[in-house]
């Protein structure tokens, strides 16, 4: 049911916002858009369906049969709905910026829902999943963005308009953000690693913020001295507070802060929602 609804959103997003406004679309559907512009007799969805076959064979081999079945359903339905909706409804052009933002959001939402169901619509969606096996530290949204930019550039060449590419990039950035939001949530947090001779005092201060703390054993390679690394995951707004009291407790402390996505557990998103 969720895949069916997402496939419908995907088709609406393309037929309503991308196609009539000449906005470059990424992925295999984007290739279909390019070929349709060159040879109008070729339907966008039909081209996407044919081009996805070799990718799905590779996906079946590397990702297993479950992904193949659910993804074949998602890919086939979304491709057919793109062509069916185009035959049934003639959407009028909109302001290109509005179309890029709304279209990107709708397509990103549909892809996020499909991914949460363990499926893909094929094309660069599937290619992104395959790449994620090799590059697990990169989010699906960012992998999709990189792959789709190549197809968008081709669309700009075919339509002879730089605007096609520029608005296509805007749509893809929006789509990437919405996809990641659906998959990982809006709770972008920070993780801080603090190396200090005053680790116990810093830990007590962190506990006052109602944050869990983990102490990691470490050894400096140059000095060979053993110490404790304080690791804490916190909300973005709490980073400045932590930095301030660490500086007060130990001005010589070493602290690094990085961004994390999809934080689940006490004090953040419930793990059952992941």
């Amino acid at each position: 049911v969720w895949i069916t609804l997402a496939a419908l959103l995907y088709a609406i997003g393309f037929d309503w916002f991308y196609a009539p406004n000449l906005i470059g679309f990424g992925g295999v559907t984007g290739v279909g858009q390019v070929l349709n512009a060159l040879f109008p007799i070729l339907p966008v969805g039909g081209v996407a369906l044919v081009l996805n076959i070799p990718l799905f064979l590779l996906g079946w081999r590397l990702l297993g049969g479950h992904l193949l079945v659910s993804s074949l359903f998602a890919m086939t339905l979304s491709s057919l709905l793109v062509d069916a909706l185009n035959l049934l409804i003639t959407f009028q052009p909109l302001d290109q910026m509005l179309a890029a933002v709304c279209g990107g959001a709708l397509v990103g939402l549909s892809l996020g829902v499909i991914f949460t169901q363990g499926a893909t619509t094929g094309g660069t969606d599937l290619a992104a999943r395959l790449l994620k096996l090799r590059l697990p530290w990169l989010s699906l949204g960012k992998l999709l963005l990189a792959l789709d930019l190549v197809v968008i550039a081709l669309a700009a060449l075919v339509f002879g308009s730089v605007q096609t590419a520029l608005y296509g990039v805007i749509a893809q950035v929006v789509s990437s953000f919405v996809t990641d939001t659906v998959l990982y949530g809006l709770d972008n947090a920070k993780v801080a690693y603090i190396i200090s001779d005053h680790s116990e005092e810093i830990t007590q201060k962190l506990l006052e913020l109602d944050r869990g703390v983990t102490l990691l054993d470490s050894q400096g390679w140059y000095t060979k001295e053993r110490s404790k690394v304080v690791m804490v995951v916190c909300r973005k707004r709490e980073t400045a507070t932590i930095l301030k009291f660490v500086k007060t407790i130990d001005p010589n402390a070493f602290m690094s802060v990085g961004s994390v996505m999809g934080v689940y557990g006490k004090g953040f998103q419930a793990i059952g929602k992941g």
Side-chain angles (χ1 to χ4, degrees):
V1 173
W2 284 110
I3 291 177
T4 300
L5 291 174
L8 180 59
L9 289 178
Y10 183 91
I12 293 173
F14 179 80
D15 286 332
W16 188 3
F17 297 108
Y18 284 84
N21 298 287
L22 300 181
I23 295 175
F25 196 87
V28 172
T29 301
V31 176
Q33 182 187 30
V34 170
L35 292 178
N36 175 259
L38 295 173
F39 311 101
I41 194 174
L42 297 177
V44 175
V47 171
L49 202 60
V50 172
L51 293 179
N52 268 314
I53 293 175
L55 277 172
F56 270 94
L57 292 176
L58 183 61
W60 169 70
R61 182 178 178 183
L62 296 180
L63 298 176
H66 173 71
L67 174 71
L68 179 69
V69 174
S70 57
S71 296
L72 273 173
F73 176 72
M75 181 270 291
T76 303
L77 187 60
S78 60
S79 297
L80 292 176
L81 285 174
V82 164
D83 288 341
L85 204 61
N86 181 55
L87 291 175
L88 294 173
I89 304 175
T90 301
F91 292 102
Q92 299 302 313
L94 302 170
D95 175 79
Q96 280 188 298
M97 178 60 76
L98 181 63
V101 173
C102 293
L106 204 58
V107 170
L109 174 61
S110 67
L111 293 178
V113 171
I114 288 173
F115 288 157
T116 60
Q117 301 305 307
T120 173
T121 57
T124 51
D125 309 341
L126 181 53
R129 279 186 172 272
L130 296 173
L131 281 175
K132 192 166 176 62
L133 294 177
R134 300 281 186 179
L135 307 169
W137 59 88
L138 291 177
S139 71
L140 279 172
K142 289 183 176 61
L143 285 171
L144 279 170
L145 179 60
L147 292 170
D148 289 338
L149 287 178
V150 177
V151 181
I152 291 174
L154 290 175
L157 290 174
V158 170
F159 289 116
S161 171
V162 176
Q163 285 186 321
T164 293
L166 294 178
Y167 284 117
V169 169
I170 292 173
Q172 287 303 126
V173 171
V174 174
S175 178
S176 173
F177 173 78
V178 174
T179 297
D180 282 348
T181 299
V182 174
L183 291 174
Y184 308 116
L186 283 169
D187 211 353
N188 287 356
K190 298 289 183 179
V191 59
Y193 295 94
I194 307 163
I195 302 175
S196 171
D197 293 332
H198 302 272
S199 57
E200 290 188 11
E201 191 176 349
I202 291 172
T203 299
Q204 289 300 320
K205 196 70 175 178
L206 287 169
L207 292 176
E208 293 177 11
L209 295 176
D210 197 27
R211 284 287 161 231
V213 180
T214 300
L215 294 180
L216 308 173
D217 291 320
S218 66
Q219 180 181 6
W221 178 254
Y222 181 74
T223 62
K224 306 301 181 184
E225 293 182 1
R226 294 187 176 277
S227 61
K228 295 288 186 180
V229 176
V230 180
M231 185 190 80
V232 59
V233 177
C234 61
R235 297 189 185 280
K236 187 177 181 179
R237 63 178 180 271
E238 296 171 328
T239 307
T241 302
I242 294 174
L243 181 61
K244 183 177 179 180
F245 74 67
V246 168
K247 182 179 179 180
T248 302
I249 295 171
D250 182 7
N252 296 316
F254 179 85
M255 178 176 171
S256 65
V257 180
S259 298
V260 291
M261 297 183 69
V263 183
Y264 308 102
K266 185 178 179 181
F268 295 92
Q269 183 176 331
I271 197 167
K273 296 180 182 179

